[in-house]
């Protein structure tokens, strides 16, 4: 008998190998935690160099972004990411990788139509919805602020 | 002669020559010895991955002509295709080859599709000698269908590995002595059981393979045990498992006859190719590097090659469409002794 | 202690992302969007600030921290400029990160080529 869509969906689910959850999570935890640890080290260094708390934060992000960009350019970030999964996706280094990798990839389609147009093709949604959410929060804060102060 | 969906040739066309060209991972794989040419640098000295795929194809066509001892002028028609949008890899290949060219798009089913078409056209007298070919290139496919190559992403366990390879066969109107015969062909019907996961091609394509095989066995009153091998193109682990289940439900036992090109081309464990190899070049290179040499040498008598193709695009997937699939089949028989 | 918390909180946020990818149908791109908007939300209700105090980079390096940064920037800008701050605050807060990514991206595109994964 030929299966219908629902029956086939069940067969498909049974046939698909599952992600090795524990291994994936351990990789994500140690690599992700390690990147944050590195970030904390960098932040401490910028603070020690006499920067304010918020400047040190921005400088830490920028430093991690440059490190990630270099590793992406060398083709090493994706090697680590193929194991680390969310451990390399969630930190700001993953955002940098998402900007730098299309820039490299689409260079051969031109500086404007390739690099320029496609650089934010993966990371764009993060900016769009992050800025949208923050703007909404700004309006809400503007409305409730008089009542709280 | 038409039997249901099957075209059975009373005077079977022959395979005069073939060539297999592969890339780096294929060179490290278990079938490496069967290839005519392997490249350790997948760029092949080109600026872009798209050009690299065309160069891969050009080498393949030049090799097949060389092996047959023919010039381009002696080929009446070339049927070929690839996975790049608008079939560009093949079109650019034929800029420098002076052969009438008809582009064919069947995604990963292209090898069986072009072979079947070439057999029909030569048997019908439309061409004396036709070239059937296809290719895929991991990097060109990756940047078009997935993400940039340097993007850090983890593959899902069902994801397959696009082969970097090309295969080409020269088909003549009637099999001569010592030539592998193309005894039957069947063009598949599009099947779609609402799989929407673009990283699970095997799962999406298994129903199409089952459909074509069921019809073929019924039309020809034969069964898997009549063949030395039933080769699917690139179902991988997931699709192979599902194909066996779908056929069992139809009362057909594939048993030990089934082999999948995607699982033959690489050592899945050590080469980390996920659920197996895929891409038009996967079936094409396994056919030309492994199956045809075995038929020619008489190690196998008769095989079926069923190439499956997923016929969606990144646009239709993003629009929430499911994946339609098709499977084309050719029956290949060892030379008459 | 700061270092330990940075490691633990950062690692845990990444594991949560991995679980979302493995156990749900969410693609990585959707997880990132979810993270950044969650960061804005958690910051707005006042939960993310204390976490960032405790874990430092462990809270600010993951993308939820990017959302926190945007929310803080907008709040400060509204305090200073009124409603206009809702438009200017986010952009100003993330300017350093975006510009750094952009510059690195352009430089890398000129200096390197895409790498074969085979």
């Amino acid at each position: 008998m030929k299966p219908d869509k629902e029956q086939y969906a069940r067969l498909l689910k049974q046939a698909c190998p599952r992600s090795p959850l524990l291994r994936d999570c351990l990789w994500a935890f140690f690599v992700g935690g390690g990147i944050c640890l590195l970030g904390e080290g960098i932040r401490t260094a910028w603070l020690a160099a006499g920067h304010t708390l918020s400047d040190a934060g921005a400088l830490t992000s920028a430093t991690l972004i440059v490190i990630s960009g270099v590793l992406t350019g060398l083709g090493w970030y994706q090697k680590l990411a193929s194991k680390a999964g969310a451990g390399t996706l969630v930190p700001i280094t993953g955002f940098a990788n998402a900007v730098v990798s299309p820039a490299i990839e689409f260079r051969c389609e031109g500086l404007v139509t390739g690099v320029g147009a496609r650089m934010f093709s993966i990371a764009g949604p993060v900016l769009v919805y992050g800025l949208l959410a923050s703007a909404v929060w700004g309006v809400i804060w503007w409305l409730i602020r008089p009542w709280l102060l | 002669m038409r039997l249901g969906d099957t075209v059975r040739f009373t005077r079977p066309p022959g395979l005069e020559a073939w060539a297999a060209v592969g890339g780096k991972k294929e060179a490290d794989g278990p079938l490496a010895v069967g290839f005519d040419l392997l490249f350790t640098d997948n760029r092949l000295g080109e600026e872009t991955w798209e050009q690299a795929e065309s160069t891969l194809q050009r080498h393949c066509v030049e090799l097949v002509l060389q092996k047959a001892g023919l010039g381009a002028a002696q080929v009446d028609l070339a049927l070929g295709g690839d996975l790049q949008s608008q079939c560009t890899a093949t079109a650019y290949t034929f800029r420098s080859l002076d052969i009438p060219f008809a582009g064919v798009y069947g995604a990963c089913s292209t090898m069986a599709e072009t072979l079947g078409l070439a057999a029909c056209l030569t048997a019908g007298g439309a061409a004396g000698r036709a070239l059937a070919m296809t290719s895929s290139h991991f990097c060109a496919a990756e940047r078009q269908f997935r993400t940039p190559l340097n993007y850090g992403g983890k593959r899902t366990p069902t994801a397959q590995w696009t082969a970097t390879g090309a295969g080409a066969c020269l088909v003549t109107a009637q099999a001569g002595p010592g030539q592998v015969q193309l005894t039957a062909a069947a063009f598949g019907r599009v099947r779609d059981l609402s799989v929407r996961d673009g990283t699970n091609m095997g799962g999406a394509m298994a129903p199409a393979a089952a459909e074509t095989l069921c019809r073929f066995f019924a039309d020809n009153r034969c069964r898997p045990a009549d063949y030395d091998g039933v080769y699917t193109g690139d179902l991988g682990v997931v699709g192979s498992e599902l194909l066996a289940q779908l056929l069992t439900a139809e009362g057909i036992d594939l048993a030990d006859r089934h082999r999948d090109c995607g699982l033959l081309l690489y050592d899945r464990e050590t080469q980390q190719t996920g659920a197996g190899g895929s891409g038009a070049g996967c079936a094409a290179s396994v056919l030309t590097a492994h199956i045809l040499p075995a038929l020619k040498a008489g190690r196998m008598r008769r095989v079926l090659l069923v190439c499956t193709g997923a016929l969606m695009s990144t646009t239709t997937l993003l629009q929430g469409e499911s994946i339609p699939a098709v499977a084309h089949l050719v029956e290949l028989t060892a030379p008459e002794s | 202690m700061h270092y330990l918390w940075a490691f633990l909180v950062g690692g845990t946020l990444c594991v949560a992302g991995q679980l979302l990818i493995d156990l749900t149908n969410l693609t990585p791109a959707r997880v990132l969007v979810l993270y950044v908007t969650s960061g804005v939300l958690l910051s707005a209700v006042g939960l993310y600030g204390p976490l960032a105090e405790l874990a430092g980079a462990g809270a600010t390096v993951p993308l939820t921290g990017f959302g926190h940064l945007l929310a803080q920037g907008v709040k400060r800008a509204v305090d200073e400029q009124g409603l206009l701050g809702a438009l200017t605050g986010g952009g100003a807060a993330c300017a350093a990160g975006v510009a750094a990514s952009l510059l690195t991206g352009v430089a890398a595109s000129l200096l390197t080529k895409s790498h074969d994964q085979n």
Side-chain angles (χ1 to χ4, degrees):
Chain A
M1 276 308 296
K2 286 188 175 32
D4 61 23
K5 288 171 187 174
E6 284 75 30
Q7 288 166 326
Y8 189 67
R10 272 197 298 279
L11 285 180
L12 185 65
K13 209 172 173 190
Q14 281 165 14
C16 288
R18 295 200 192 345
S19 297
L21 210 57
L22 183 66
R23 199 175 70 197
D24 281 5
C25 286
L26 285 175
W27 269 102
F29 183 76
F30 283 100
V31 174
I35 292 172
C36 293
L37 194 61
L38 175 70
E40 186 60 25
I42 294 169
R43 197 173 76 111
T44 312
W46 284 120
L47 284 171
H51 292 280
T52 65
L53 207 59
S54 77
D55 281 3
L59 284 164
T60 304
S61 294
T63 313
L64 286 171
I65 285 165
V66 172
I67 293 172
S68 168
V70 171
L71 293 179
T72 300
L74 292 170
W76 295 351
Y77 198 82
Q78 65 94 1
K79 286 205 174 88
L80 180 64
S82 69
K83 299 259 188 287
T88 44
L89 177 80
V90 167
I92 189 87
T93 48
F95 177 83
N97 171 256
V99 175
V100 174
S101 61
I104 296 169
E105 189 64 56
F106 299 109
R107 168 70 186 90
C108 47
E109 271 112 69
L111 279 171
V112 173
T113 45
V115 178
R118 305 196 59 175
M119 187 183 254
F120 286 94
S121 56
I122 304 172
V126 169
L127 292 179
V128 169
Y129 290 102
L131 284 170
L132 185 68
S134 74
V136 170
W137 160 235
V139 173
I140 294 171
W141 177 242
W142 179 73
L143 288 172
I144 60 172
R145 196 171 166 267
W147 307 92
L148 297 176
L149 294 176
Chain B
M1 184 171 60
R2 183 96 189 178
L3 294 164
D5 281 0
T6 304
V7 184
R8 186 160 287 285
F9 301 104
T10 32
R11 284 187 304 173
L15 296 185
E16 202 173 5
W18 52 81
V21 178
K24 184 163 175 275
K25 215 177 194 75
E26 295 67 30
D28 296 334
L31 300 185
V33 287
F35 280 83
D36 296 287
L37 182 61
L38 287 160
F39 290 89
T40 47
D41 178 3
N42 281 349
R43 268 200 186 270
L44 279 79
E46 298 294 346
E47 273 300 301
T48 70
W49 299 117
E50 286 75 11
Q51 288 167 359
E53 185 169 353
S54 288
T55 305
L56 199 70
Q57 283 199 359
R58 189 167 47 77
H59 281 291
C60 196
V61 178
E62 284 169 4
L63 271 166
V64 79
L65 291 174
Q66 191 189 321
K67 284 170 85 175
L70 297 168
Q74 288 154 287
V75 181
D76 298 323
L77 176 65
L79 299 166
D82 57 89
L83 302 180
Q84 285 179 27
S85 36
Q86 286 87 29
C87 252
T88 41
T90 322
Y92 285 112
T93 301
F94 282 95
R95 281 196 301 202
S96 58
L97 290 159
D98 206 17
I99 303 171
F101 162 65
V104 175
Y105 185 80
C108 309
S109 72
T110 310
M111 192 67 245
E113 188 178 15
T114 52
L115 268 179
L117 288 171
C120 292
L121 288 169
T122 50
R129 185 182 281 118
L131 183 72
M133 64 172 303
T134 187
S135 72
S136 56
H137 191 300
F138 176 86
C139 301
E142 203 72 0
R143 74 198 294 274
Q144 179 179 333
F145 294 103
R146 286 186 76 237
T147 51
L149 290 158
N150 291 39
Y151 177 72
K154 194 183 180 79
R155 291 172 164 270
T156 61
T158 55
Q160 293 175 249
W161 193 272
T162 307
T164 303
C169 300
L170 269 177
V171 182
T172 54
Q174 205 178 333
Q179 285 181 3
V180 174
Q181 310 166 73
L182 211 162
T183 36
F187 298 101
R189 299 168 186 238
V190 173
R191 284 294 172 267
D192 186 339
L193 284 178
S194 289
V195 177
R196 290 190 163 74
D197 181 0
T199 65
N200 192 354
M201 289 299 152
M205 298 188 301
E211 177 74 25
T212 301
L213 279 168
C214 272
R215 283 180 182 273
F216 182 82
F217 290 132
D219 292 343
N220 295 276
R221 304 220 173 107
C222 59
R223 55 206 174 92
D226 298 331
Y227 294 89
D228 295 310
V230 176
Y231 290 86
T232 47
D234 55 355
L235 291 180
V237 191
V238 178
S240 295
E241 164 69 26
L242 286 163
L243 175 66
Q245 290 183 17
L246 292 171
L247 288 181
T248 306
E250 298 284 334
I252 298 168
D253 183 15
L254 272 182
D256 59 341
R257 297 303 148 113
H258 178 235
R259 265 148 262 172
D260 184 67
C261 297
L263 297 174
L264 293 169
L265 185 57
Y266 307 111
D267 182 334
R268 208 163 66 81
E269 301 299 324
T270 60
Q271 295 191 287
Q272 293 172 353
T273 49
S278 69
C282 175
S285 54
V286 173
L287 172 74
T288 49
H290 178 65
I291 303 172
L292 289 174
L295 284 168
K296 173 104 176 164
R299 291 194 296 277
M300 292 195 289
R301 278 288 310 148
R302 206 150 67 122
V303 304
L304 293 178
L305 175 71
V306 193
C307 297
T308 44
L311 303 177
M312 79 304 166
S313 74
T314 44
T315 305
T316 60
L317 271 191
L318 287 175
Q319 290 170 349
E321 267 284 12
S322 53
I323 303 170
V326 74
H328 303 299
L329 175 152
V330 286
E331 182 190 76
L332 298 161
T333 307
E336 275 176 350
S337 49
Chain C
M1 270 320 268
H2 240 84
Y3 283 102
L4 182 67
W5 281 115
F7 180 73
L8 292 177
V9 171
T12 306
L13 283 168
C14 291
V15 167
Q18 189 65 48
L19 289 172
L20 285 173
I21 294 170
D22 281 358
L23 298 178
T24 69
N25 289 330
L26 289 175
T27 56
R30 285 169 203 272
V31 170
L32 291 186
V33 168
L34 186 70
Y35 262 56
V36 76
T37 46
S38 308
V40 172
L41 185 71
L42 290 172
S43 179
V45 297
L47 290 174
Y48 213 85
L51 186 70
E53 295 255 315
L54 173 76
T60 55
V61 168
L63 271 191
T64 38
F66 193 68
H68 172 55
L69 186 73
L70 293 171
Q72 273 186 315
V74 160
K75 194 176 171 195
R76 206 177 313 118
V78 168
D79 287 341
E80 288 165 9
Q81 299 169 284
L83 191 56
L84 178 64
L87 296 177
T88 60
C94 71
V98 172
S101 305
L102 197 150
L103 287 173
T104 316
V106 172
S109 77
L110 296 174
L111 297 172
T112 64
K113 279 188 166 183
S114 76
H115 284 74
D116 183 16
Q117 292 172 27
N118 277 289

